[in-house]
Amino acid sequence: MAYKGKASRGTIKDYPNFDADNDAQLLRKAMKGLGTDESAILHILTTRSGAQRVKICLQYKTLFGKDLVEDLKSELGGKFEKLIIGLMKTPLQYDVSELHNALKGAGTDEKCLIEILASRTNQELRAIIQAYQQEYGKDLEENVISDTSGHFQRILVILLQANRDESTAYDEATVKKDAQDLFQAGELKCGTDESTFLTIIGTKSAPYLEQVFAEYMKISGYQIEESISSETSGSLRTALLAIVKCVKSVPEYFAITLYNAMQGAGTDDDTLIRVMISRSEVDLLDISAKFQANYGKSLFSMIKNDTSGDYRNALLSMCGGEVK
């Protein structure tokens, strides 16, 4: 489940002729005096890379003795504030804070847990677990266990071992056996043996699983997604389908996630913000291309129709324009 072309498939890249000193002064000017120049703020912060934003923060404090993030919080509001403040975190800090928010308080945001844990690489998950412990003094796995239950809890714990097989080699006999085991555990059984699904889908390598799913289709006549949908329910179903989609294509998974966040009445802004921030320097170009191919309209146009104001302008800037 490694990101492909990780360095270059984002829409946000290092800004050419970057000048942290000048950016810091422009941001201060945008927030000083009466009123706030939101368009100046969004223009600067959505066109600089994460590493450059860190430098702007340092320079801002150096020049003015004030914390840029605190100043932004006091000047901005609503969804626009949430988006901009999220952009000021490093990708690792952002994932960690999103997971913490998903687990704190009365309810649990299963959607956020699934999205992050199903789509990140082993290496990224290990860094998240370590940073979570450092930031909050708590064990992420323990927090997940206390907030979830049943087979859903088990699949998240499997993912949190950050131990998915990374080999690209596989032998045909094992592929056939795993496909048969999945078939026996689901379609052929009265009731479902979820453990088999969890172990195979939660631990095997992406190239291997692609072969297993193809073999499964041959012997059962079903796509694996169809069987998961009919054999499981609730958060477990959502988690297993997310993992399967990420095995096949991480950008496609996020294209579907973005579409679902915006289609129909109302917008799931939390998901929209989270995906746009976390993929902006990873694979948002690929996500946009998949979105266009799947839905016959661009991500840019759907965001434009679904959002408004400075929030919309910031998201559109992060989109990098229409897919050519």
Side-chain angles (χ1 to χ4, degrees), residues 4-203:
K4 295 180 173 78
K6 191 163 178 186
S8 62
R9 300 306 299 161
T11 50
I12 297 179
K13 300 177 172 26
D14 280 340
Y15 189 75
N17 308 315
F18 171 65
D19 182 345
D21 192 89
N22 188 49
D23 283 352
Q25 298 202 44
L26 288 171
L27 286 166
R28 182 75 189 124
K29 191 176 160 195
M31 292 188 280
K32 232 167 76 176
L34 285 172
T36 306
D37 184 351
E38 283 91 353
S39 70
I41 292 169
L42 78 84
H43 174 71
I44 293 168
L45 296 178
T46 61
T47 58
R48 307 301 188 264
S49 68
Q52 290 174 332
R53 287 183 218 115
V54 169
K55 289 176 182 164
I56 294 169
C57 275
L58 176 63
Q59 198 55 26
Y60 189 91
K61 198 171 263 189
T62 304
L63 292 173
F64 309 113
K66 287 166 78 71
D67 186 289
L68 175 56
V69 172
E70 292 308 316
D71 279 2
L72 288 165
K73 280 180 184 170
S74 70
E75 295 289 331
L76 310 177
K79 294 175 283 201
F80 179 54
E81 178 190 341
K82 191 172 181 187
L83 180 67
I84 294 295
I85 299 305
L87 279 170
M88 300 311 292
K89 293 180 164 78
T90 66
L92 178 58
Q93 285 170 337
Y94 186 69
D95 277 353
V96 165
S97 70
E98 284 294 291
L99 287 168
H100 183 250
N101 290 338
L103 291 163
K104 75 174 192 203
T108 307
D109 183 351
E110 286 93 355
K111 204 183 274 187
C112 172
L113 295 181
I114 292 166
E115 184 198 298
I116 294 175
L117 300 183
S119 65
R120 304 305 191 254
T121 62
N122 284 344
Q123 197 180 351
E124 287 165 333
L125 286 170
R126 287 181 200 123
I128 285 168
I129 292 159
Q130 194 180 355
Y132 190 94
Q133 178 75 51
Q134 284 169 344
E135 183 68 28
Y136 303 110
K138 290 176 179 164
D139 184 278
L140 177 55
E141 187 182 315
E142 281 173 21
N143 281 13
V144 165
I145 288 170
S146 68
D147 255 40
T148 57
S149 61
H151 292 293
F152 176 56
Q153 178 194 87
R154 286 173 59 193
I155 191 65
L156 295 183
V157 170
I158 287 171
L159 294 174
L160 280 166
Q161 302 321 295
N163 202 20
R164 182 178 290 282
D165 180 24
E166 290 176 340
S167 69
T168 49
Y170 49 84
D171 79 277
E172 229 163 288
T174 321
V175 166
K176 286 195 158 111
K177 183 185 179 307
D178 276 349
Q180 191 63 45
D181 286 352
L182 285 173
F183 189 38
Q184 299 282 356
E187 297 293 343
L188 286 186
K189 200 172 159 62
C190 179
T192 307
D193 171 14
E194 286 92 349
S195 295
T196 304
F197 277 82
L198 301 189
T199 305
I200 295 173
I201 292 173
T203 64

